[in-house]
Amino acid sequence: MAVDYAVIIIYLAGMLAMGWWGMRRAKSKSEFLVAGRRLGPWMYSGTMAAIVLGGASTIGGVGLGYQYGLSGAWMVFTIGLGILALSIFFSARIARLKVYTVSEMLDLRYGGRAGIISGVVMWSYTLMLAVTSTIAYATIFDVLFDMNRTIAIILGGAIVVAYSTLGGMWSITLTDMVQFVVKTIGVLLLLLPIAVIKAGGFSEMKAKLPTEYFDPLGIGGETIFTYVLIYTFGMLIGQDIWQRVFTARSDKIARIGGTVAGTYCLIYALAGAVIGTAAKVMYPKLPSPDSAFATIVKDELPIGVRGLVLAAALAAVMSTSSGALIACATVANNDIWSRLRGVVSRGGEAVEGEHDEVKGNRVFILIMGIAVILISIALNNVVEALTVAYNLLVGGLLVPILGGLLWRRGTAAGALAAVSVGGLAVIGLMAGYGILANEPIYYGLLASLAAYVIVSLATKPTDAAVLAAWRERLAGRGATAEEPVHEPATT
């Protein structure tokens, strides 16, 4: 294992080095939070794919393949569909807004009265997303070093917090690009073909497994529909995803680069399901489907390759964890704390008081990072935490966000009603039906939609001046000037 350990240690050291390098570039709020809004197509595509393909997509995707066969690809597949839909239909408009958070977009659209409540909901989502990613370190470090769960979470979490705090989005972007390359090599180019060969090829896999393992809908229509509601729609509105859209140099790059990233996700989804199916042939009686990834890596891969594939799993977890962490800190600082102390942000520029924006956001990343590590140590059920996060996000924020983009008659009162009714309905229904039940997201989303439409129609239309300013921003005109850019765009 010495060679494998060396590969992992070099990888982790590289992450910290990139955090230090990123710190030298992040000299302004724009540089720190959205990489100066100047990522080119290749870097944008890689970082977008990295943020959405985390531990759940890698370890969990293989586990679903182990349990259901090829139809286990649907969870990650719906994530890819969400990125494609976001990129094709909405990313250009989102990029042109020149904001930092989803709540700022809601303020622009509805006249400055929807932000703080939506900020609290978005903060809860990003916090739990960061927690679930951080918990996954325990699984990987247990395979690598037989490490205690708490120590594993502290070690993995501390590395992510360190490079995220140092350089903000620049550090995260650079590390995500490395993580994207490592995941591509480790999972797609190495683990996938080795797993299929070790299982005897596709003909042997078909001979040894039930036919439902090769049914594309074997996981069940209701499950697929729920995945679409939670993950496809979740990709359309999450702060962690939007914050990556904000980094694009132009709306064209956001659209094309995101389309490439979404297509990559579809390929990654199928690869994970095939690896899990191969693992089922080799290890038909594993105690848990989620152990399929670690088992096949530990027992079937040669020295060195094993370290690289485990680094790929670590990369997947780190990319999602760091993206969720900076999103959580951005929302906490810009949408909640700034409002509580009387500083309002319009289009990404503080309008009251002068303070060190980079330092303030850096402090919030550190605080949120420590909170994430502590919650991760105390929490055990990753699936339930992730379900709560996505249910709150989609149930509370999907309708007012998409409504604001698509329906001119939507009002601030309707948006607030949608967030409040949808969020409370989801929480109440999860308490009644159970956290993992499908009903909370179904009925919560319907309640949010009904509240939005009814209250919007019953209240005075949004002021014409607000809508005019909104249209100007969507068209890429009238945005508040950003900090000046002194360095060339990044491809």
Side-chain angles (χ1 to χ4, degrees):
M1 291 290 290
V3 176
D4 297 325
Y5 292 162
V7 171
I8 299 297
I9 291 170
I10 291 171
Y11 168 76
L12 294 176
M15 295 299 99
L16 291 174
M18 289 187 180
W20 182 262
W21 188 86
M23 181 177 69
R24 300 174 61 186
R25 299 195 63 155
K27 300 300 185 182
S28 67
K29 180 179 179 180
S30 176
E31 296 282 352
F32 191 81
L33 293 182
V34 291
R37 305 190 197 274
R38 62 174 189 265
L39 295 192
W42 297 112
M43 187 167 281
Y44 179 84
S45 298
T47 56
M48 180 60 84
I51 180 65
V52 298
L53 295 175
S57 300
T58 303
I59 298 172
V62 171
L64 287 171
Y66 182 89
Q67 188 172 2
Y68 298 104
L70 297 186
S71 67
W74 272 106
M75 184 187 77
V76 184
F77 201 84
T78 56
I79 290 174
L81 292 178
I83 295 300
L84 286 172
L86 174 71
S87 302
I88 294 170
F89 299 112
F90 300 108
S91 63
R93 282 182 283 179
I94 292 170
R96 287 195 293 264
L97 289 174
K98 302 296 184 186
V99 295
Y100 290 110
T101 68
V102 175
S103 294
E104 287 178 13
M105 166 264 172
L106 292 174
D107 277 350
L108 286 170
R109 168 60 181 82
Y110 295 112
R113 289 173 290 173
I116 192 163
I117 295 178
S118 63
V120 171
V121 174
M122 188 65 76
W123 175 78
S124 302
Y125 156 72
T126 53
L127 179 69
M128 295 311 297
L129 184 61
V131 166
T132 57
S133 302
T134 303
I135 291 174
Y137 295 130
T139 301
I140 298 170
F141 282 111
D142 178 55
V143 175
L144 285 172
F145 308 115
D146 194 24
M147 187 180 289
N148 174 271
R149 178 182 183 274
T150 298
I151 296 175
I153 289 173
I154 292 174
L155 175 61
I159 292 170
V160 169
V161 172
Y163 73 70
S164 300
T165 302
L166 286 173
M169 186 59 80
W170 266 124
S171 294
I172 292 171
T173 297
L174 294 170
T175 54
D176 276 358
M177 281 304 298
V178 175
Q179 290 158 358
F180 172 74
V181 172
V182 171
K183 280 189 288 190
T184 301
I185 295 173
V187 176
L188 297 185
L189 302 183
L190 292 176
L191 183 57
L192 175 61
I194 290 173
V196 173
I197 292 170
K198 292 281 188 179
F202 286 104
S203 59
E204 188 70 13
M205 291 163 62
K206 286 185 177 181
K208 289 188 175 181
L209 294 174
T211 55
E212 56 263 27
Y213 264 73
F214 302 92
D215 180 358
L217 302 178
I219 198 170
E222 184 178 356
T223 299
I224 295 171
F225 181 65
T226 302
Y227 284 160
V228 170
L229 283 184
I230 294 177
Y231 296 114
T232 301
F233 287 137
M235 292 300 106
L236 296 179
I237 59 174
Q239 170 68 25
D240 51 325
I241 309 302
W242 277 40
Q243 201 155 343
R244 296 311 172 97
V245 176
F246 301 151
T247 65
R249 188 168 71 234
S250 68
D251 54 6
K252 183 178 179 180
I253 288 173
R255 184 173 61 254
I256 296 175
T259 302
V260 172
T263 303
Y264 179 89
C265 291
L266 302 183
I267 297 170
Y268 200 88
L270 184 59
V274 171
I275 293 168
T277 305
K280 184 67 175 179
V281 173
M282 291 182 278
Y283 310 99
K285 295 183 179 180
L286 289 178
S288 167
D290 284 342
S291 64
F293 181 90
T295 302
I296 196 171
V297 169
K298 195 172 184 179
D299 294 348
E300 303 297 335
L301 298 186
I303 294 172
V305 173
R306 178 171 50 202
L308 183 59
V309 173
L310 286 172
L314 195 58
V317 175
M318 283 187 160
S319 57
T320 300
S321 181
S322 59
L325 177 59
I326 193 171
C328 178
T330 302
V331 171
N333 187 19
N334 291 268
D335 293 336
I336 300 175
W337 175 243
S338 292
R339 295 170 191 274
L340 291 177
R341 64 190 183 89
V343 178
V344 181
S345 179
R346 294 191 182 95
E349 183 180 358
V351 297
E352 179 181 302
E354 293 184 5
H355 57 286
D356 188 341
E357 292 281 359
V358 174
K359 181 179 178 181
N361 283 288
R362 187 172 279 139
V363 168
F364 264 86
I365 290 179
L366 180 61
I367 294 172
M368 291 298 106
I370 293 172
V372 164
I373 291 172
L374 293 176
I375 295 171
S376 300
I377 292 171
L379 198 63
N380 285 316
N381 197 315
V382 179
V383 176
E384 289 192 357
L386 192 62
T387 301
V388 170
Y390 273 100
N391 280 355
L392 278 173
L393 175 71
V394 176
L397 291 178
L398 178 68
V399 169
I401 291 173
L402 293 189
L405 290 169
L406 300 174
W407 191 39
R408 181 176 178 178
R409 186 61 180 82
T411 66
L416 290 171
V419 174
S420 303
V421 171
L424 291 174
V426 164
I427 293 171
L429 290 165
M430 283 192 293
Y433 285 98
I435 290 176
L436 299 179
N438 293 327
E439 287 83 358
I441 189 61
Y442 294 167
Y443 301 141
L445 197 53
L446 288 174
S448 179
L449 178 61
Y452 181 70
V453 172
I454 293 171
V455 175
S456 291
L457 292 176
T459 53
K460 184 180 178 181
T462 304
D463 186 84
V466 171
L467 287 177
W470 166 252
R471 288 193 295 272
E472 287 290 300
R473 292 294 286 267
L474 281 179
R477 301 185 297 269
T480 302
E482 300 267 3
E483 297 91 334
V485 175
H486 301 293
E487 297 183 58
T490 303
T491 57

